[in-house]
Each structure stands twice: as C-alpha cells, then as structure tokens.
Amino acid sequence: MLPGAVAVLLHAWAGASYEKECVPAWDYYPVLEALMARHELIYPSAPLDRLHSEKRYASALMPPTQQLQLCRRRGAASAGSWCLENGRALGPAVAEALARLRSQAAAAGLSTADVMVKQGLSWGGEDVARLLPSRVLGHLQEKVLKKLPKHATALTVLLQAKVDLVAELRWIVFEGKLRGCGWRTFGQARRGSSMIKAGIMGESESRKALAQAGLARNEIELRKLEDRLRPAVELVLAEATQDAGGETPQFLRVDLLMDRKGQPWLGERESWGADLMGGTYDPRKGSFTRQDPSRLEVARKMVARALRLLTGQKSAKSAKAAKV
C-alpha cells in the first residue's frame, strides 16, 4: 500500500471481545502504530488517542487525582500478579496514594468520605465506581484486575476525589474553535456499583438540576454560566495541544463537572468523534434537537484535511526532485 492518509473509526478497550467499535487494546494498537508508521493518521488523533483512552493525561482542572500505572508480572495471570510499573506491590502503593489523595482533597475543599475509581480503556462510566477508601484495594483486586483477560499486561487506574456534582457540561471543540455544548446529569449509584447503573439524564433534567442548585435559574443565567466556563474549556484545549506536541487536535470534547459551589472540574477530555453532542437546545426551534458540528461537517473536514496533507506530501516530493 502506498503512503497516504488513513482514518480508523474504532477505538481500544480492555475487554476481551470485539463489540461495536471497541477493539481489544492488544489487537488495536499494533495495527494503529503500523498504519501511523507509513501513513498520515487523520483520525483518531495520532498523538492523543492512546493518552486519552488509557486516561494517562493530566489537567490543572482535574479534581485531586492519583494515577496508578499498573502492569502484570511476566508469566502471571492472577489478580495478585499485578504491581506498579516501578515494581512496587499494589497494597502499599494504594495506601500511599489514598493518603496523598485525602490530603489533596481536603486542601481543595472536597469530601474525603468517598473515592472515585476510574479504569483506563473503558467507556461510558461502566468501569467507574464510588467507594469508601477502605474498599479501594479490594475493588481493584476483585472487580478490576481479576476480570482482565490474560492478554492485558498494563492498565491505568485513577483514584480521584469525589465532586458534589450538579451537572456536566460537554463542549465540542472542532478545528480549534469552541462549537456546540450541552448538559447532562447523573443519578447517584450506590457505593461499589458501576456509574452506568446510576443512569444518565439529558438537557431538560440538567437544567432543572442547575436551577435547583441556584447556578442557572433561567435561559439568560444559563448562557452566562456557559460563557463563564469558556476559559476553562480553552485551558483544556491548550493542555491537549501541548500534549500533542503543539498540534491542535481537529476534534476534542471537553466534559466539565459543575459542583454545587459553581466550581468547574475536568471530568474527561476525548478525541473520539463519536462523542458529538446531540440533543442540545436549539433556541430557534425551542427544542433539544441541535448538533454542532454535524456528523456531515466533521466527515467533510476530515476528508479536506486528508487532501491537504496529501497535497503537501506531493509538493514536498516535487520540490525535492527539482533540487536533484
């Protein structure tokens, strides 16, 4: 195959099976890296995809967070075979991480009663759980590491302070510009349960939650709140651009968690284009039917970017040949 531009409309996860667009990471990344070595990868983001999928990035807007970079000891297949990348045993490392997190959360004015445990290479809140600190190690050993297939050799887990969440603002950044945004809110899952069981609610329920919290009681206040949050989204975009070696990602979704004090925290940033925001409020129609940008616009601009890259490659080769 001649060098060109390529888009891979799949992403990695820690599951053992192929489900919809999800591919086991140990199968996905060797193929993606082989394509990147020969072609211009226009989708997903070449420098950011793995960083985002594995949850290895950081941000000044994240709630207090401790990253655990875990690896499986060679030749072992049980949950007890996992340790930190530096070889430290899991138990002492988790205890120290929780002690640091407790101190950081208290300094930030956040509760230390619960810890959020977020697994890398997972999607949709399925592997996110709220736990008592005393339950974290057992949860990792029994609910996370035990279920990983034998092919999984590394995993990032985040231990994060719990935010007293009102609603989540999801904002699309496309070609460096802030585009459509929308609100979502969540139920409260019981301790130890997947957050996906709590249920996600849409724009209408989120507006009610914001009004009840006194953060935005009407449309004017909601617009003011979103305007106040624009600099936070721009900060996360600047951080992602820096992580990408100075290359502005063509697509980015920034999820900000709004707490009851009106403080925004970064919930997640994504460079996966399936995360377009649909069902947001369209003031012209008075209904939740807006999508900005549309899937068609994203597809067209991806193709246009591919053409620019290929034209640039051709021009560079012609200039080199002319010098010879």
Side-chain angles (χ1 to χ4, degrees), residues 6 31-41 46-47:
V6 62
V31 174
L32 192 71
E33 288 164 3
L35 290 170
M36 287 166 55
R38 187 167 177 79
H39 306 282
E40 291 283 353
L41 183 65

Side-chain angles (χ1 to χ4, degrees), residues 32 55 139 157 161 163 184 201 220 257 300 321:
L32 192 71
K55 295 184 172 32
H139 178 84
V157 174
V163 171
R184 297 293 182 267
M201 290 166 274
I220 294 174
L257 309 176
R300 283 175 172 170

Side-chain angles (χ1 to χ4, degrees), residues 238-279:
E239 291 172 336
T241 300
Q242 184 175 7
D243 286 343
E247 176 187 333
T248 301
Q250 186 172 33
F251 178 91
L252 191 73
R253 197 184 85 186
V254 177
D255 297 350
L256 295 178
L257 309 176
M258 287 297 299
D259 70 15
R260 296 192 178 277
K261 298 177 183 178
Q263 170 74 35
W265 304 90
L266 179 64
E268 197 166 31
R269 73 182 201 208
E270 287 288 355
S271 51
W272 172 242
D275 290 323
L276 287 169
M277 278 305 299

Side-chain angles (χ1 to χ4, degrees), residues 8-53:
V8 180
L9 303 180
L10 302 165
H11 63 66
W13 76 328
S17 60
Y18 290 70
E19 293 186 19
K20 297 181 180 179
E21 72 275 10
C22 300
V23 178
W26 47 90
D27 288 342
Y28 178 80
Y29 284 119
V31 174
L32 192 71
E33 288 164 3
L35 290 170
M36 287 166 55
R38 187 167 177 79
H39 306 282
E40 291 283 353
L41 183 65
I42 61 168
Y43 186 85
S45 168
L48 293 178
D49 175 70
R50 190 161 192 168
L51 196 67
H52 287 170
S53 295

Side-chain angles (χ1 to χ4, degrees), residues 44-88:
S45 168
L48 293 178
D49 175 70
R50 190 161 192 168
L51 196 67
H52 287 170
S53 295
E54 294 180 348
K55 295 184 172 32
R56 284 181 175 256
Y57 60 92
S59 170
L61 288 179
M62 269 188 175
T65 300
Q66 293 290 311
Q67 281 193 6
L68 298 177
Q69 311 293 350
L70 307 178
C71 66
R72 194 193 295 272
R73 289 191 175 97
R74 185 171 297 179
S78 68
S81 67
W82 288 80
C83 62
L84 264 65
E85 281 184 338
N86 60 10
R88 288 205 65 203

